[in-house]
Structure formats: C-alpha cells, structure tokens
C-alpha cells in the first residue's frame, strides 16, 4: 500500500524535473501529506479512493486558483500580442 502512495509523487517529481529542470521538495511532500489528511478525514482504508479524492481535490483547487488569477484572459492577451490574433 505504501508503494501505491509513493508512485504518484515520484512520477510527478520526475515530470516536473523533465519539464522545468527543477526539483521542489515541498511539492513532493505535499501529496503524501494530502493522502494522510484525506485518510484521517474520510476514514477510508481503500488507497484507490484516497488517490482519486486527492486528484479531485487538487483539480478543484487549481481550477479555482486559475479563475481567481484570471488566467484565461491573461493568456488570451499574451497570445493576441504574440501571434497578432484578432477576436
């Protein structure tokens, strides 16, 4: 079961290193801590449910963060400027 909980953080760290060429230990530690909190909060022993809930939680978090930062309009303006697009 411990191996299951380590696969996602290890693959995420590998992806971040390949994409951004940097290692962020706090980002690596965030996922197991989240697993532990979900396990305590929901009292679930099924690792598949805990992993699924963690993915949903971060999806919702990142969606709200994107809305708050107005990423759509910021990136839209960037690409209008970069590619001379007309809307």
């Amino acid at each position: 079961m411990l191996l299951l909980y380590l696969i996602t953080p290890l693959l995420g760290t590998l992806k971040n290193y390949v994409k951004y060429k940097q290692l962020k230990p706090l980002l690596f530690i965030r996922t197991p801590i989240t697993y532990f909190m979900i396990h305590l909060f929901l009292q679930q022993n099924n690792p598949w449910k805990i992993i699924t809930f963690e993915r949903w939680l971060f999806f919702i978090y990142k969606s709200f963060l994107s809305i708050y930062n107005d990423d759509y309009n910021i990136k839209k303006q960037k690409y209008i400027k970069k590619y001379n697009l007309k809307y």
Side-chain angles (χ1 to χ4, degrees), residues 75-76 78-87:
K75 289 181 181 183
K76 180 179 171 183
K78 178 179 108 176
Y79 287 113
I80 287 172
K81 198 172 174 180
K82 184 175 181 178
Y83 297 111
N84 296 322
L85 299 175
K86 293 181 177 48
Y87 282 91

Side-chain angles (χ1 to χ4, degrees), residues 26-65:
L26 290 177
L27 199 60
F28 175 77
I29 296 295
R30 180 181 74 178
T31 301
I33 290 173
T34 305
Y35 289 157
F36 180 70
M37 298 297 281
I38 291 172
H39 178 77
L40 286 178
F41 183 69
L42 297 178
Q43 296 296 315
Q44 287 286 329
N45 290 329
N46 185 348
W48 299 108
K49 281 186 178 180
I50 292 174
I51 291 170
T52 303
F53 288 140
E54 184 263 344
R55 293 285 87 205
W56 290 353
L57 178 72
F58 280 114
F59 173 74
I60 293 168
Y61 167 73
K62 288 179 180 182
S63 296
F64 281 120
L65 189 63

Side-chain angles (χ1 to χ4, degrees), residues 2-4 9 16 52 64 82:
L2 184 62
L3 179 64
L4 258 178
N16 283 341
T52 303
F64 281 120
K82 184 175 181 178

